Amino acid sequence: MEIGKKPGNFPRSNLFLSSSPSPSPSSMAILLVLIYSFFSASTTAFSPFVPQDNFLIDSGADKLATVPDGRVFKTEEQTKQFLEAKDEIKVSVKKANVPSPIYLSARIFVQEATYSFPLSRPGWHWVRLHFYPLKNDQFDLMTATFSVNTNKYVLLHSFNMNNNSKTVLKEYLLNVTEPQFSIKFVPMKNSAAFINAIEVISAPDNLINDVANELSPAGDFSGLSKYAYQTMYRLNMGGPLITSENDTLARTWQPDKSFIKSTNLAKRVSVATSTVKYPDGLTPLIAPQTVYASAVEMADAQVDQPNFNVTWNFEANPAFGYLLRLHFCDIVSKVLNDLYFNVYVNGKMAISDLDLSHELNGLAMAYYKDIVVNASFMSNGLTVQIGPTKLDSGDRNAILNGLEVLKISNSVNSLDGEFGVDGSKASTGSSRSTVAAVGFAMMFGAFVGLGAMVIKWHKRPQDWQKRNSFSSWLLPLHAGDSSFMTSKNSLGSHKSNFYSSTLGLGRYFSFAELQEATKNFDSNAVIGVGGFGNVYIGVIDDGTQVAVKRGNPQSEQGLTEFQTEIQMLSKLRHRHLVSLIGYCDENSEMILVYEYMSNGPFRDHLYGKNLPPLTWKQRLEICIGAARGLHYLHTGTAQGIIHRDVKTTNILLDETFTAKVSDFGLSKDAPMGQGHVSTAVKGSFGYLDPEYFRRQQLTDKSDVYSFGVVLLEALCARPAINPALPREQVNLADWGMQWKRKGLLDKIIDPLLVGSINPESMKKYAEASEKCLAEHGVDRPTMGDVLWNLEYALQLQEAFSQGKGDDETKSSVAVAASPEILASPTDSPSDCRPVSHPDQNNSPQKQAADEHSGTAMFAQFANLNGR
Ligand SMILES: *[C@@H]1O[C@H](CO)[C@@H](O)[C@H](O)[C@H]1NC(C)=O
Ligand SMILES: *[C@@H]1O[C@H](CO)[C@@H](O)[C@H](O)[C@H]1NC(C)=O
């Protein structure tokens, strides 16, 4: 896992090795190791599974039957040593409308009959029973009713063809422990039993994993190997029928079409089978490439925010539990980490925010999850749904490539009916709780680490729920900091003081006031949409424009937390942070009012919007402003605050192009008792700290990384991720650093800047960006350091633009070693210090900041979008 460091880094590396501009020798070495370890399984030719036990019997047949997949079924004569039967009734037909010659003959039993197979190896075995009600003049096989048991398991109870003249395949997966494995046919009184063909075949040991994970109550579930399974459905989503000839384990995969609830919501997608790769530990034994090469995804709803599920319905017996194996392979994404989705089973969250790139570090790689559905969650059959997550990053899509539905044997080892082989009756309820809940199993241990996955599984749902609450952006740097808790608690106990302006909570707005300001929350006034609710532009009393962020009333977050946040936010006043003006909590509303930033996001001035280009100096000043804002967040409050989503759309510009960091504003109390903040990965792709991404541990250095991307964006005037570009260019951080390492970063800068940047300024700036983008947080500078470097770059640029000579520029390099000298009098370091710090309360900067927030025309635009 040492590599997934940079999202977007890996797939390019393995698929387009030659295109990287001279990676360093060490990264090359790492790459090779990775390629080796990740693809050893898929690059070596896959050898088909050779089963140790392989009994194929064409019952009642006189001659060998070769089925379409090439396997040969033996005749009655060749297999008579396996059968113990009192009668000997064989029937056969010359021709019938059947897919395979094995159906042309049958063995009929009017008394109990037993096939016994001497197994060479204990363990998992496929048992396949083939039925076809051959027309014959002795018995009506369409109505013949019988049971089929093994030594231990009931496979069929009072089974009949139900007047159906189709071929029927019953497939079981049994963990056989006895050396003599028997299958007994028991006709009902005055009826007969029959069988056309039998398969008893060794299955791979690791086909069923013993460990699973329960959803509710959360916990590990182990013991799946103690159960027997019957295949109920095996589907190739969005693809063709896969017959036994195309599956090395002779499995059949049906198209899913007849199970889709609304076909117009689903879209089939497929790629060449050869694109599908198996990660280490997986082979086509799990499912053939053909299964992974096709999928069903969400249909294009022609809307920005498609919000629906694709649903499959299955008939299922509610007296049993089921093991669902969901096969996934991201054949739809162009870049890593662009696809997140949820999977629901019977209306319950089964997989939350599945991020295949994160699990696999590559696209088009095979992956699966096992879900155990307890009988108590069964009511009206089985429903499997996929749909978009609430995450705002990536493409709003969801996929499913394959699905296997296996029925799980009950407490008396029956797969059909409530009685066991010995006549014992299934206890209702208790048997169900043994196979409890919904869970997953089978991660590729070597690949990701089962332990880590289990932990993640448990953690995620909670984290993800939070993220959708009113806030969650701002996390204290030191999660365990007690002062933060104290302030929270004290808020609760002094709630009556809450409205007191002496607490400095900003202005209190009545709901009516904000209704008026936003024309009753007119949909035309919406300037941003997020998971927590909408952002409206509004005009308050004196004509001041504001941004009004209205929490969704359904938000899980309570009012108390909301108030806590306001208190925290209100303490954050800085010239380079978008200010909170006030709030409203009337009628359980949760509304925040911010200053409005008339020039919108920095990004819009860099590309995409055809706005007049910013000069290099302007860009430097904006970056410096943003760096100041972030530096203040990191160091300016007792607990320190991590922004978590630094990007050019979160740097807003006021009417004088002063940069202000936005969306830091909605705080969340972090999990306690950890040095870092451990949290579900949150942020915007292309900006995401690889270390955070990998370890889900957030530090202030995660913001520094993102800021490094911002610096490149300002220089190159292109998005952090641009899927439309050739693969090696998609991720700006990777692309930029490749050129930086070669000392040629100036080759990819914004063409509009060419010739206007002082090379020394450029050099300093590029170094700052490179340091921010260091792989490991510890190697990255603090925001304070970054700030100084940028100011230095600005000084160099100013000297250059003022037409100063080369000599003087050089001398300023020497001087610049001392940060104090570089600082301009108006931008003294003190403006980065906490305003709440007692010593700083009267600093000029504090006053400037307060003044500013009190007067400036406000409201934050833009990219509240996607929250
Ligand atoms: C299945 O295998 C046959 C024979 O190898 C091949 O011709 C056919 O294209 C395969 N079908 C699929 C769906 O892969
Ligand atoms: C998708 O299905 C789940 C479970 O049935 C449900 O909770 C969720 O609201 C659905 N999502 C959409 C967008 O309909």
Side-chain angles (χ1 to χ4, degrees):
M1 283 313 285
E2 275 309 291
I3 294 271
K5 277 168 185 169
K6 254 174 215 129
N9 180 359
F10 187 61
R12 153 160 35 87
S13 309
N14 66 59
L15 298 174
F16 296 85
L17 259 182
S18 54
S19 60
S20 311
S22 61
S24 70
S26 67
S27 71
M28 201 62 192
I30 293 171
L31 210 62
L32 291 174
V33 168
L34 273 168
I35 288 166
Y36 177 75
S37 62
F38 276 67
F39 292 103
S40 50
S42 50
T43 49
T44 56
F46 169 71
S47 43
F49 178 71
V50 180
Q52 260 176 287
D53 293 313
N54 193 13
F55 298 94
L56 303 175
I57 301 176
D58 186 6
S59 301
D62 300 328
K63 55 181 204 297
L64 292 170
T66 305
V67 294
D69 62 28
R71 294 180 303 155
V72 178
F73 281 62
K74 292 192 166 149
T75 63
E76 180 75 28
E77 183 62 25
Q78 289 170 315
T79 57
K80 65 178 182 203
Q81 76 270 27
F82 303 129
L83 176 61
E84 193 185 310
K86 296 212 171 72
D87 39 42
E88 192 166 320
I89 309 165
K90 296 185 280 183
V91 291
S92 60
V93 292
K94 288 248 147 41
K95 257 171 71 181
N97 184 21
V98 288
S100 161
I102 56 174
Y103 296 108
L104 296 178
S105 63
R107 193 60 213 258
I108 297 174
F109 312 110
V110 290
Q111 295 183 56
E112 272 186 27
T114 305
Y115 283 93
S116 295
F117 303 97
L119 300 186
S120 56
R121 189 169 188 274
W124 290 106
H125 285 74
W126 297 112
V127 174
R128 296 193 180 104
L129 306 177
H130 298 266
F131 299 103
Y132 176 68
L134 283 181
K135 282 222 170 65
N136 68 86
D137 46 21
Q138 298 180 60
F139 296 93
D140 178 8
L141 299 184
M142 300 254 256
T143 56
T145 305
F146 56 98
S147 296
V148 180
N149 304 333
T150 73
N151 319 34
K152 187 172 173 186
Y153 298 107
V154 175
L155 304 184
L156 291 170
H157 177 74
S158 294
F159 167 77
N160 66 46
M161 296 296 291
N162 216 354
N163 277 314
N164 178 349
S165 68
K166 292 202 175 108
T167 60
V168 168
L169 166 61
K170 298 283 182 184
E171 183 185 87
Y172 305 89
L173 192 53
L174 308 180
N175 199 357
V176 183
T177 49
E178 61 270 25
Q180 195 74 18
F181 174 67
S182 63
I183 300 176
K184 187 195 278 186
F185 290 83
V186 186
M188 246 178 64
K189 220 172 168 189
N190 300 323
S191 189
F194 75 98
I195 183 75
N196 301 75
I198 298 179
E199 302 175 36
V200 175
I201 311 173
S202 297
D205 291 335
N206 55 4
L207 207 54
I208 298 284
N209 256 22
D210 193 57
V211 184
N213 189 280
E214 297 179 56
L215 180 67
S216 66
D220 286 344
F221 175 80
S222 60
L224 283 176
S225 52
K226 290 197 217 104
Y227 296 91
Y229 300 90
Q230 179 183 358
T231 309
M232 306 310 292
Y233 303 96
R234 183 180 286 123
L235 304 179
N236 178 23
M237 266 62 191
L241 168 72
I242 301 173
T243 60
S244 57
E245 72 187 294
N246 297 84
D247 182 325
T248 178
L249 295 183
R251 291 168 297 201
T252 300
W253 302 74
Q254 309 277 345
D256 66 305
K257 211 169 169 187
S258 52
F259 302 96
I260 287 202
K261 193 172 155 203
S262 305
T263 44
N264 57 335
L265 295 182
K267 187 175 147 209
R268 298 153 59 119
V269 53
S270 62
V271 296
T273 49
S274 56
T275 27
V276 173
K277 301 272 184 300
Y278 293 91
D280 219 17
L282 279 200
T283 68
L285 295 182
I286 281 303
Q289 278 175 311
T290 329
V291 170
Y292 292 111
S294 70
V296 161
E297 64 175 343
M298 288 169 65
D300 185 0
Q302 313 280 337
V303 295
D304 281 350
Q305 298 276 304
N307 198 22
F308 58 86
N309 292 324
V310 179
T311 305
W312 291 266
N313 287 325
F314 305 95
E315 284 174 26
N317 183 338
F320 288 86
Y322 290 83
L323 173 63
L324 270 55
R325 176 164 294 173
L326 299 126
H327 296 272
F328 301 102
C329 180
D330 187 351
I331 56 171
V332 300
S333 293
K334 297 207 172 49
V335 291
L336 284 182
N337 308 308
D338 198 32
L339 176 67
Y340 288 80
F341 57 97
N342 291 336
V343 180
Y344 309 90
V345 174
N346 284 1
K348 296 204 157 30
M349 181 70 81
I351 309 173
S352 159
D353 299 302
L354 179 59
D355 176 2
L356 296 171
S357 311
H358 184 50
E359 312 293 357
L360 299 163
N361 254 301
L363 298 174
M365 293 178 81
Y367 185 77
Y368 70 94
K369 281 206 172 185
D370 287 346
I371 309 288
V372 179
V373 184
N374 185 343
S376 64
F377 287 139
M378 298 290 303
S379 53
N380 222 349
L382 268 171
T383 302
V384 174
Q385 291 170 291
I386 55 172
T389 68
K390 300 274 169 43
L391 299 188
D392 50 27
S393 298
D395 198 17
R396 283 185 74 83
N397 199 353
I399 58 166
L400 184 60
N401 301 64
L403 174 67
E404 293 173 84
V405 177
L406 305 179
K407 189 199 269 181
I408 306 176
S409 58
N410 69 10
S411 64
V412 293
N413 295 323
S414 171
L415 281 161
D416 193 10
E418 52 185 341
F419 296 99
V421 172
D422 58 2
S424 58
K425 190 162 182 283
S427 50
T428 49
S430 69
S431 64
R432 295 167 188 185
S433 54
T434 44
V435 180
V438 175
F440 81 106
M442 293 187 81
M443 298 293 116
F444 341 110
F447 191 57
V448 185
L450 184 61
M453 293 306 300
V454 170
I455 289 163
K456 201 167 131 206
W457 181 271
H458 288 307
K459 258 197 204 140
R460 273 201 158 183
Q462 302 161 3
D463 284 345
W464 291 131
Q465 274 168 10
K466 271 182 200 156
R467 102 200 306 301
N468 214 25
S469 64
F470 195 82
S471 67
S472 77
W473 289 94
L474 175 94
L475 289 173
L477 273 186
H478 310 294
D481 189 310
S482 58
S483 66
F484 179 61
M485 279 314 276
T486 311
S487 73
K488 179 180 174 163
N489 294 342
S490 66
L491 177 73
S493 54
H494 296 100
K495 207 171 167 199
S496 55
N497 286 343
F498 183 70
Y499 304 105
S500 154
S501 61
T502 58
L503 277 177
L505 299 181
R507 171 170 165 186
Y508 180 78
F509 289 91
S510 71
F511 186 62
E513 242 175 313
L514 293 179
Q515 271 180 312
E516 198 186 316
T518 57
K519 301 206 175 91
N520 199 17
F521 299 98
D522 183 0
S523 55
N524 289 326
V526 173
I527 54 172
V529 182
F532 68 89
N534 290 339
V535 184
Y536 302 83
I537 185 169
V539 182
I540 53 173
D541 32 44
D542 54 352
T544 304
Q545 285 183 303
V546 292
V548 179
K549 212 166 187 173
R550 185 184 189 193
N552 184 337
Q554 267 97 57
S555 167
E556 292 148 29
Q557 189 173 23
L559 209 49
T560 315
E561 282 163 286
F562 169 72
Q563 291 166 341
T564 307
E565 285 176 13
I566 295 172
Q567 191 191 41
M568 189 164 164
L569 281 186
S570 307
K571 284 195 209 141
L572 297 168
R573 293 257 177 253
H574 191 273
R575 179 174 156 74
H576 294 289
L577 297 181
V578 172
S579 301
L580 178 71
I581 297 174
Y583 68 98
C584 166
D585 64 354
E586 202 179 310
N587 306 332
S588 304
E589 287 283 345
M590 297 184 285
I591 303 175
L592 296 177
V593 180
Y594 292 92
E595 64 176 315
Y596 177 72
M597 301 289 286
S598 57
N599 269 315
F602 185 22
R603 176 188 168 121
D604 290 356
H605 298 268
L606 292 173
Y607 50 86
K609 287 279 194 303
N610 285 325
L611 295 174
L614 300 170
T615 65
W616 179 236
K617 182 164 176 261
Q618 279 179 306
R619 297 185 200 194
L620 272 174
E621 282 166 347
I622 289 166
C623 290
I624 288 169
R628 281 183 199 283
L630 288 172
H631 180 56
Y632 170 75
L633 277 183
H634 289 177
T635 58
T637 57
Q639 66 269 27
I641 284 158
I642 306 170
H643 185 292
R644 299 181 76 185
D645 199 19
V646 175
K647 54 184 178 183
T648 46
T649 45
N650 277 342
I651 297 169
L652 304 182
L653 305 174
D654 72 7
E655 81 289 355
T656 64
F657 284 89
T658 301
K660 298 187 183 212
V661 176
S662 79
D663 266 339
F664 55 88
L666 298 171
S667 83
K668 186 76 213 167
D669 46 332
M672 294 297 149
Q674 294 157 354
H676 54 267
V677 179
S678 178
T679 176
V681 173
K682 174 70 195 104
S684 300
F685 294 107
Y687 295 93
L688 210 53
D689 169 12
E691 200 165 60
Y692 168 38
F693 190 79
R694 226 176 26 248
R695 296 165 47 191
Q696 305 198 12
Q697 293 176 358
L698 196 61
T699 71
D700 51 344
K701 297 297 182 67
S702 307
D703 285 350
V704 175
Y705 181 92
S706 308
F707 191 72
V709 180
V710 166
L711 292 180
L712 282 182
E713 220 176 320
L715 180 66
C716 305
R718 56 148 283 185
I721 291 277
N722 184 352
L725 290 172
R727 206 162 177 118
E728 71 277 8
Q729 304 183 22
V730 166
N731 182 308
L732 175 60
D734 292 350
W735 180 236
M737 283 308 101
Q738 280 164 14
W739 288 92
K740 169 69 180 72
R741 273 180 233 116
K742 291 198 289 185
L744 296 173
L745 189 57
D746 54 323
K747 300 285 181 227
I748 59 165
I749 66 171
D750 184 351
L752 298 168
L753 292 175
V754 171
S756 69
I757 308 183
N758 171 6
E760 293 296 323
S761 171
M762 165 79 190
K763 188 160 169 264
K764 200 74 206 163
Y765 183 91
E767 277 168 19
S769 168
E770 185 180 34
K771 285 183 200 150
C772 290
L773 294 171
E775 210 59 68
H776 299 283
V778 290
D779 299 331
R780 295 176 205 144
T782 63
M783 276 319 294
D785 295 338
V786 178
L787 186 52
W788 289 120
N789 279 303
L790 292 178
E791 299 206 325
Y792 181 12
L794 177 63
Q795 298 265 318
L796 292 171
Q797 183 65 24
E798 279 174 338
F800 174 77
S801 337
Q802 284 157 19
K804 288 190 182 175
D806 246 37
D807 291 348
E808 276 175 79
T809 308
K810 284 206 179 98
S811 73
S812 79
V813 174
V815 172
S818 166
E820 284 79 6
I821 299 174
L822 271 178
S824 68
T826 50
D827 276 357
S828 81
S830 65
D831 70 351
C832 300
R833 299 233 179 101
V835 293
S836 55
H837 194 290
D839 300 340
Q840 295 296 325
N841 274 349
N842 296 319
S843 74
Q845 181 56 37
K846 162 81 161 81
Q847 287 164 8
D850 286 351
E851 231 169 69
H852 184 82
S853 64
T855 56
M857 44 309 34
F858 295 143
Q860 97 182 71
F861 217 136
N863 76 323
L864 297 150
N865 230 327
R867 280 307 177 85

